[in-house]
Amino acid sequence: MTIAKGDKLPDVTLVKVTPDGPEKVSSAEYFAGKKVALFAVPGAFTPTCSAKHLPGYVEKAAELKAKGVDEIACTAVNDAFVLGAWNKSGGSDDITMLADGNADFASALGLDADFSGFGMGKRSQRYSIIVNDGVVEEVNVEGPGEFKVSSAEHMLGQL
């Protein structure tokens, strides 16, 4: 079953990218007590993710925070080292990278996808979620090959 508005996020271990290296974090603890603009990409360094998705959140970070977002987070089914390198190459300190290396979080949300046809295995669908104290306020899941509702611009309109 796919996560929906009003649902509490499942508690899954993610790996947060920090300046001191990877740090395991419980999703329940990470999302507690704050409003988070979360977006997910199928993979770091992939075309749409690198050309549009991440740059949009970097560009709109100040606007999102001005509308009450405490933190902006990106998750992908990649390891923390890949997400850290991706954030250094095209991201920003305004974006927290949360590695979901085994797709446990994507699966728990019901938003995992099979990208085996592209040689990428199990991944996350492209989506964005506004999370307030661990509860989903908005969820936006893209159709296959699309990039519209998970954008920073769309999310700004929801805040």
Side-chain angles (χ1 to χ4, degrees):
M1 188 162 163
T2 304
I3 195 86
K5 191 174 180 174
D7 290 349
K8 189 161 184 64
L9 287 181
D11 189 16
V12 175
T13 300
L14 295 164
V15 181
K16 181 179 175 182
V17 176
T18 75
D20 298 324
E23 175 187 307
K24 286 186 179 182
V25 62
S26 135
S27 57
E29 290 174 16
Y30 175 78
F31 290 99
K34 58 188 165 191
K35 184 175 261 191
V36 180
L38 172 68
F39 67 102
V41 298
F45 294 108
T46 57
T48 301
C49 306
S50 292
K52 296 179 182 176
H53 215 164
L54 178 59
Y57 279 90
V58 170
E59 180 184 313
K60 301 292 185 186
E63 291 176 58
L64 288 163
K65 290 182 177 184
K67 287 200 167 198
V69 168
D70 298 307
E71 199 159 337
I72 302 164
C74 175
T75 186
V77 180
N78 289 112
D79 63 68
F81 300 105
V82 168
L83 286 181
W86 189 44
N87 203 26
K88 281 183 185 172
S89 77
S92 144
D93 289 340
D94 288 320
I95 311 294
T96 299
M97 294 292 178
L98 299 172
D100 184 22
N102 295 320
D104 294 336
F105 188 63
S107 296
L109 294 175
L111 293 171
D112 53 325
D114 184 0
F115 281 68
S116 297
F118 302 102
M120 296 169 62
K122 189 174 185 178
R123 294 288 174 141
S124 172
Q125 293 182 49
R126 184 182 308 281
Y127 66 85
S128 68
I129 299 177
I130 298 172
V131 184
N132 194 355
D133 194 21
V135 177
V136 174
E137 288 188 341
E138 298 288 346
V139 60
N140 310 292
V141 182
E142 297 287 2
E146 292 186 350
F147 176 68
K148 298 174 189 166
V149 299
S150 64
S151 70
E153 292 82 7
H154 184 81
M155 184 175 278
L156 276 168
Q158 294 179 310
L159 292 167

